[in-house]
Amino acid sequence: MNLNTLFSIIITPIKPSFPNLKFRIKCTSSPQQTNRLELAKTLQNETLTILEWPSLCSQLSAFTSTTMGTSAARKGDVRIGESPEESIKLLDQTSAAILLPMPLDFRGIEDVMELVGRGVNGELLSIQEISAVRRSLRAARGLFDQVVEAYRQSERYYPLLEILQNCNFLTELEQKIEFCIDSKFSIILDRASDDLEIIRSERKSNMEDLDSLLKEVSTKIFQAGGIDRPLVTKRRSRMCVGIKASHKSLLPNGVVLNVSSSGATYFMEPKEAVDLNNMEVRLANAERVEEQAILGLLTSEIAQSKSEIKYLLDRILEVDFAIARAAHARWMNGVCPVLGSVGFKNDGLNGPGSLSVDIEGMQHPLLLEASLKRLSDPVASKSSNSVLWCEGNSGKGQRSSDCLTFPVPIDIKVEHETRVVVISGPNTGGKTASMKTLGLASIMLKAGMYLPARNNPTLPWFDFILADIGDSQSLEQSLSTFSGHLSRICKMLEVTSKQSLILIDEIGSGTDPSEGVALSTSILEYLKDRVNLAVTTTHYADLSLLKQKDSQYENAAMEFSLETLQPTYRILWGSTGESNALSIAKSIGFDEKIVNRAHTWVKRLMPDKAEKRRGLLFQSLMEEKDRLQVQANRATDIYSNTMNLYHEIWDEADDLAIREAALKAKETQKTQREVITAKSQLEAIVAEFEAKIATASMDQLNALLKESESAIASIVEAHSYTEESSVTDVDRSSLRVKLGDQVLVSGLGNKLATIVEVPGTDGMALVQYGKVRVRVNISNMRVVQSSDMTVPSNSQPQIKKQGQRIRSLKSLSEASSSEEGSYGLVLQTSKNTVDLRGMRVEEASHHLNMAIDSTGSSSVLFIIHGMGTGVVKESAHQILRKHPRVVKFEQESPTNYGCTVAYIK
């Protein structure tokens, strides 16, 4: 009985049933239409790359559950609906997948089409390869059973069931493979065919006879001393026994099959075993031929089922992508878009004043990835798609993007009758990114993907989404940037239809402005009557005026903050963007006359008068240049003088440090000498006391003790400090100084200076500190009076005078430490200055905090924030008020505009 007859008895054949596959075939009636469709396909593929659709597909690949799904997604082979009905069907599949309570199990499903193709080409598949086909078929049937079970619980899962319900799971082929092959041990079973079973039965019986014979012969050889132990083995595919070379005569007429490496042992086939070995070889060859026949039969059936297997794997891939789209939607908290295309029953969209595009809070999914949780390892979760059922990024009903600052959500609102949208605004303001977001959202809708937006985003269905974004320069085709853009736009105009979306970045740029405006206006006029929607970005103000003449135009502008001088990346619909150059110039401190003059020029420089006034503008700029050059030279002189003063002060400071070190060393030596003197005096008193006590009686002992204590007390008193202060402070409110007085100046770090000019009515006195003369307010100084001047030279011993000097130095030190800190000479240098002009608030705050942290103790920091709008200044003052190292700070004075001085602990 052959294999086919056996299976006709065991299994009732299952006739494959296939649905009528619908393919969208566009019939062409002429070569020109064929070329047009080819051109449209090429432009569409290029647009997908421009809008970064392959990157989004790669992002989606992390959520696939099969290796073929991952591979297809990474190649960008994600299905995009070719009709509104097909896109709605894909969205329904995503919605059904996102409602699944448990993940579907895709384990065991492999892409076996390569194996099937080899079978079709006549190659024989191995046991392992045929087992892989069986595993995939069984896993596919198991996946179908899971979907059926879900559908039994709720009909909302029908879109997933619909994908697989007409598939032929080739149950007959799967069971035939299972009947023939043990996949666990990778062997062909005896029951695979009657001939194989008979051959293996005969071979088994023959092997038993051969083995029994050889064991008997080997035992006799062993008993005769011809071998150390009985040995039965196989050599050259024949069974034999081992025997010593010296005893080979024990096997007369035996055949030597092999010799050991040492030559001491022969492997011989006894004469009695020749026929049995010959039978074993014949049966083994027959078994191998039969196994090859069985594998060939299974391979042939797999090859014949190529179309069914391909269709089944395609449907499984479709289910995999539906699950992946649902997982991706959950990951980014997406919402289901609404198809608002004309032709569908949606009266609200077709009414007057309704919106054909209504997207609120849309974020670019590729930019959003950095703000959400990292993608899980796609390999680790292939079997159960655990990414889908992981913990969400936010609570139910609330998008996590609400608390994110990047990317900035944008609103896209286009009325139903609008055909052309002109987006203007400053560079790096987000015009191109917003346009790309609209294009990518349209592709995602066609592919059945949810959008990272709020509420119910509404979009039309576009048959072609074509974009001209980026540099179209081509050296091979000798195209400049402008020519490259024109060439691409020209091709786009050839293939557009009433259902197309056209995206053009910086239309008409790269040439003379007047010609660029004229050409751009003409192109937009052409598109207005031939496409569903065209969106363009521009710096030409004239294009924004088209809305005044035709209601089919709409303006949009990227918002720009005059406070931070940075774009906010939000779209202002119905507004016209400006360059904001004059506002920026005014905010950073330009002379008001310059700004006003620029406003006058803007009003007067109309296109028809620009050529006439160009010479006047050049002359005005040259005059302004000369004036600024004079100011620059003056600033250079001031800088040179300041640096000379700085170097002089720096040299003086170095000299003061040397003198201070010398004074400390001198006073240390004096103190050490005083300690030695006091120590020697005490030692003399102790020695004298010990000498007297040796000969003194008990009555004299008390007297000696009192005498010694008195002497020690006088020495201690002579070297002790008195409570009187050698430096007295005078009430500052009634302080009177005269020429030559010595004062302690707090602004100089409580250093001793000399009055060289008495204070005037403003309370400012001129003091000299070394070679430096500065004006100091009388409230920042104290008069120093030395107590040595009132004490006679012979009123106390020499050691007490030394103590008074030390006390005088101590009082001066205490006087300086009683202040909040010693800040030295308050002079501005490059090392103690931080310039915040021209920075944003966040950047300025960061630089100021770094400057405060890196400033040394008891130092002064100059913060230059300029005048401007006051935003940076106010931010700097708030930081100075709260910073723990800032003791105080002085705002700008009439002599120091735009600068704040901070005193650091």
Side-chain angles (χ1 to χ4, degrees):
M1 182 182 295
N2 60 26
L3 186 63
N4 291 328
T5 306
L6 178 64
F7 266 91
S8 65
I9 298 174
I10 298 177
I11 301 173
T12 302
I14 301 175
K15 295 182 179 180
S17 61
F18 299 98
N20 294 325
L21 302 181
K22 296 182 179 179
F23 297 93
R24 190 182 181 197
I25 304 175
K26 297 182 179 179
C27 299
T28 57
S29 57
S30 67
Q32 291 155 353
Q33 289 181 340
T34 303
N35 294 336
R36 177 179 176 275
L37 292 177
E38 290 296 328
L39 178 59
K41 183 178 179 181
T42 301
L43 292 174
Q44 183 68 85
N45 292 334
E46 292 175 355
T47 298
L48 292 178
T49 303
I50 291 173
L51 298 180
E52 300 178 89
W53 171 248
S55 298
L56 185 61
C57 292
S58 179
Q59 187 184 81
L60 183 67
S61 68
F63 300 95
T64 54
S65 302
T66 63
T67 54
M68 55 185 179
T70 303
S71 176
R74 288 179 177 172
K75 294 177 182 177
D77 296 335
V78 176
R79 181 181 175 188
I80 298 176
E82 297 184 357
S83 67
E85 294 82 5
E86 189 175 352
S87 296
I88 290 178
K89 188 175 181 180
L90 293 173
L91 282 173
D92 290 341
Q93 294 172 3
T94 306
S95 300
I98 207 169
L99 295 173
L100 284 172
M102 292 294 291
L104 297 179
D105 190 355
F106 288 84
R107 285 179 298 181
I109 297 177
E110 304 175 29
D111 187 1
V112 296
M113 285 310 301
E114 181 182 353
L115 302 179
V116 175
R118 288 170 50 195
V120 172
N121 294 332
E123 295 185 32
L124 186 66
L125 299 182
S126 66
I127 296 176
Q128 293 79 6
E129 292 170 339
I130 294 176
S131 297
V133 175
R134 172 188 165 272
R135 283 195 305 270
S136 296
L137 294 176
R138 170 166 289 189
R141 187 158 48 87
L143 179 67
F144 177 69
D145 293 340
Q146 297 175 58
V147 177
V148 170
E149 183 62 29
Y151 175 70
R152 288 173 181 170
Q153 298 176 5
S154 175
E155 293 184 357
R156 61 188 179 185
Y157 302 118
Y158 177 75
L160 297 178
L161 179 62
E162 186 183 18
I163 300 174
L164 298 173
Q165 67 177 353
N166 293 322
C167 290
N168 182 1
F169 294 97
L170 301 172
T171 306
E172 180 181 356
L173 176 60
E174 177 202 340
Q175 292 179 356
K176 187 178 292 188
I177 296 174
E178 183 180 10
F179 184 84
C180 296
I181 294 177
D182 186 341
S183 299
K184 182 177 181 180
F185 297 101
S186 297
I187 59 174
I188 298 177
L189 299 174
D190 295 349
R191 65 189 183 189
S193 72
D194 292 342
D195 293 342
L196 180 63
E197 187 175 8
I198 294 172
I199 291 172
R200 285 184 175 176
S201 176
E202 292 179 355
R203 186 181 178 189
K204 179 180 179 182
S205 176
N206 184 74
M207 278 298 298
E208 289 176 353
D209 295 340
L210 180 60
D211 186 64
S212 176
L213 173 64
L214 293 177
K215 284 182 179 179
E216 182 181 351
V217 173
S218 181
T219 301
K220 291 180 180 180
I221 295 172
F222 170 70
Q223 292 173 350
I227 193 69
D228 294 336
R229 58 182 179 82
L231 176 62
V232 177
T233 183
K234 179 181 283 190
R235 290 292 186 274
R236 295 166 58 183
S237 302
R238 300 177 73 86
M239 299 299 295
C240 59
V241 295
I243 188 171
K244 293 180 180 179
S246 59
H247 292 72
K248 71 175 184 176
S249 60
L250 294 176
L251 293 177
N253 300 322
V255 179
V256 178
L257 299 178
N258 203 349
V259 181
S260 66
S261 58
S262 64
T265 304
Y266 281 12
F267 299 99
M268 299 183 65
E269 179 183 8
K271 179 180 179 182
E272 300 82 358
V274 172
D275 292 338
L276 294 176
N277 263 328
N278 291 338
M279 178 62 69
E280 167 63 20
V281 171
R282 286 195 297 271
L283 291 175
N285 291 335
E287 180 183 12
R288 185 164 52 254
V289 170
E290 186 64 19
E291 288 178 348
Q292 296 272 337
I294 294 171
L295 293 178
L297 179 61
L298 295 176
T299 300
S300 176
E301 296 216 10
I302 291 174
Q304 292 174 8
S305 305
K306 175 184 177 181
S307 58
E308 293 94 330
I309 294 175
K310 185 178 187 310
Y311 181 77
L312 176 61
L313 292 181
D314 287 344
R315 300 290 74 76
I316 291 175
L317 180 61
E318 191 172 341
V319 175
D320 188 13
F321 276 147
I323 301 296
R325 294 194 301 269
H328 183 263
R330 282 195 175 189
W331 170 72
M332 66 178 182
N333 296 299
V335 294
C336 183
V338 177
L339 193 63
S341 175
V342 177
F344 284 87
K345 187 177 181 181
N346 196 335
D347 297 337
L349 289 173
N350 298 330
S354 61
L355 298 175
S356 63
V357 179
D358 186 4
I359 304 177
E360 183 177 346
M362 175 74 181
Q363 294 177 293
H364 198 290
L366 297 180
L367 298 178
L368 188 63
E369 180 176 338
S371 303
L372 297 178
K373 292 181 179 179
R374 294 185 61 185
L375 295 177
S376 299
D377 184 4
V379 178
S381 59
K382 287 299 172 193
S383 60
S384 62
N385 200 356
S386 59
V387 179
L388 175 57
W389 281 267
C390 66
E391 183 180 355
N393 292 305
S394 65
K396 185 176 181 181
Q398 179 182 2
R399 279 182 44 74
S400 62
S401 59
D402 294 341
C403 59
L404 299 173
T405 58
F406 180 82
V408 177
I410 63 172
D411 298 335
I412 305 177
K413 310 281 186 177
V414 181
E415 294 186 356
H416 190 270
E417 61 273 11
T418 299
R419 289 293 173 265
V420 177
V421 175
V422 178
I423 305 178
S424 55
N427 286 326
T428 70
K431 301 189 299 296
T432 303
S434 300
M435 188 168 58
K436 278 188 172 183
T437 302
L438 172 60
L440 192 58
S442 302
I443 298 173
M444 292 174 70
L445 178 141
K446 293 182 67 176
M449 299 181 68
Y450 279 29
L451 304 183
R454 291 191 293 267
N455 300 329
N456 297 312
T458 301
L459 278 166
W461 189 89
F462 301 106
D463 59 351
F464 292 124
I465 302 170
L466 306 177
D468 176 44
I469 302 174
D471 190 2
S472 298
Q473 185 184 62
S474 175
L475 297 180
E476 294 180 358
Q477 301 178 15
S478 300
L479 294 177
S480 65
T481 300
F482 177 72
S483 300
H485 282 296
L486 281 187
S487 176
R488 182 173 180 82
I489 292 174
C490 180
K491 295 176 182 178
M492 290 164 57
L493 297 180
E494 292 181 21
V495 300
T496 54
S497 69
K498 280 289 188 178
Q499 286 77 43
S500 299
L501 171 64
I502 303 298
L503 306 173
I504 304 177
D505 189 29
E506 298 292 349
I507 185 171
S509 61
T511 186
D512 182 83
S514 58
E515 294 185 356
V517 169
L519 182 59
S520 301
T521 303
S522 180
I523 292 174
L524 295 181
E525 285 287 338
Y526 181 87
L527 288 173
K528 178 191 64 175
D529 301 322
R530 288 171 174 82
V531 298
N532 189 330
L533 180 64
V535 181
T536 182
T537 65
T538 184
H539 283 289
Y540 295 145
D542 290 16
L543 296 184
S544 300
L545 301 177
L546 296 175
K547 179 183 177 181
Q548 301 175 5
K549 303 176 182 178
D550 194 334
S551 60
Q552 295 186 81
Y553 288 90
E554 180 57 272
N555 291 330
M558 304 308 298
E559 186 180 36
F560 187 87
S561 174
L562 292 178
E563 295 182 356
T564 62
L565 303 182
Q566 293 293 325
T568 64
Y569 305 106
R570 291 183 174 87
I571 304 179
L572 301 178
W573 290 94
S575 301
T576 302
E578 299 179 356
S579 64
N580 298 287
L582 301 184
S583 299
I584 296 173
K586 183 178 180 180
S587 64
I588 63 177
F590 263 79
D591 192 301
E592 189 174 0
K593 294 180 180 179
I594 298 176
V595 178
N596 292 337
R597 186 184 304 169
H599 276 294
T600 303
W601 276 101
V602 169
K603 294 178 181 179
R604 294 168 60 187
L605 282 176
M606 301 303 291
D608 55 342
K609 301 178 180 179
E611 191 67 29
K612 180 180 179 180
R613 302 182 187 275
R614 187 174 299 171
L616 296 176
L617 177 60
F618 179 76
Q619 181 180 355
S620 175
L621 290 175
M622 292 302 297
E623 293 175 356
E624 188 69 19
K625 176 185 176 182
D626 295 339
R627 188 179 68 83
L628 292 176
Q629 186 63 43
V630 172
Q631 293 182 356
N633 294 336
R634 182 179 177 186
T636 302
D637 295 338
I638 295 175
Y639 174 77
S640 177
N641 295 334
T642 303
M643 291 304 298
N644 292 335
L645 179 60
Y646 167 76
H647 290 304
E648 183 180 352
I649 295 172
W650 184 261
D651 295 340
E652 183 67 22
D654 288 343
D655 186 48
L656 287 175
I658 297 174
R659 287 188 290 170
E660 181 181 5
L663 180 61
K664 287 182 179 179
K666 182 177 180 181
E667 292 299 330
T668 301
Q669 293 175 358
K670 290 181 181 179
T671 304
Q672 290 176 350
R673 287 197 295 268
E674 290 181 5
V675 171
I676 295 173
T677 301
K679 183 178 179 182
S680 62
Q681 291 175 352
L682 292 174
E683 289 176 350
I685 294 174
V686 172
E688 183 180 358
F689 175 76
E690 291 176 349
K692 290 181 179 181
I693 198 174
T695 58
S697 62
M698 293 299 296
D699 296 335
Q700 296 174 335
L701 184 59
N702 290 334
L704 288 175
L705 286 173
K706 292 180 179 180
E707 181 181 352
S708 298
E709 289 176 353
S710 177
I712 291 173
S714 63
I715 293 174
V716 171
E717 182 181 0
H719 291 278
S720 300
Y721 299 127
T722 61
E723 294 297 330
E724 63 184 25
S725 177
S726 62
V727 179
T728 59
D729 295 344
V730 183
D731 185 5
R732 298 186 184 184
S733 61
S734 59
L735 183 63
R736 297 290 183 270
V737 295
K738 59 183 181 296
L739 290 177
D741 281 354
Q742 300 292 313
V743 293
L744 291 174
V745 182
S746 60
L748 297 176
N750 287 322
K751 300 297 183 180
L752 197 62
T754 304
I755 299 294
V756 296
E757 183 180 319
V758 296
T761 56
D762 57 354
M764 304 292 290
L766 184 64
V767 300
Q768 182 167 351
Y769 171 65
K771 297 180 180 179
V772 179
R773 292 188 176 189
V774 294
R775 289 194 174 274
V776 183
N777 195 295
I778 194 171
S779 61
N780 294 330
M781 64 178 66
R782 291 177 296 167
V783 177
V784 178
Q785 297 178 353
S786 175
S787 59
D788 291 343
M789 298 174 61
T790 60
V791 181
S793 60
N794 57 354
S795 60
Q796 294 189 19
Q798 181 67 22
I799 190 169
K800 196 165 185 177
K801 292 181 180 179
Q802 297 292 341
Q804 287 175 345
R805 292 193 190 98
I806 295 173
R807 290 195 300 274
S808 177
L809 292 174
K810 180 181 179 183
S811 64
L812 289 175
S813 176
E814 292 175 351
S816 67
S817 63
S818 64
E819 297 296 321
E820 290 178 337
S822 176
Y823 296 100
L825 186 60
V826 184
L827 289 177
Q828 182 179 357
T829 66
S830 60
K831 295 182 179 180
N832 65 353
T833 302
V834 57
D835 194 346
L836 308 180
R837 291 175 295 182
M839 298 182 183
R840 293 181 295 175
V841 174
E842 296 80 0
E843 184 181 5
S845 302
H846 176 68
H847 278 74
L848 179 55
N849 281 313
M850 290 181 59
I852 295 175
D853 293 339
S854 61
T855 301
S857 303
S858 301
S859 301
V860 179
L861 182 64
F862 290 81
I863 301 103
I864 301 177
H865 45 67
M867 304 302 290
T869 60
V871 176
V872 176
K873 169 186 172 183
E874 182 59 30
S875 174
H877 287 177
Q878 289 180 2
I879 293 175
L880 295 176
R881 292 189 190 98
K882 298 177 181 179
H883 204 289
R885 291 197 64 200
V886 178
V887 177
K888 62 178 181 177
F889 64 90
E890 300 173 356
Q891 301 186 24
E892 61 262 10
S893 62
T895 60
N896 196 21
Y897 284 108
C899 180
T900 295
V901 182
Y903 295 84
I904 311 301
K905 289 183 181 180

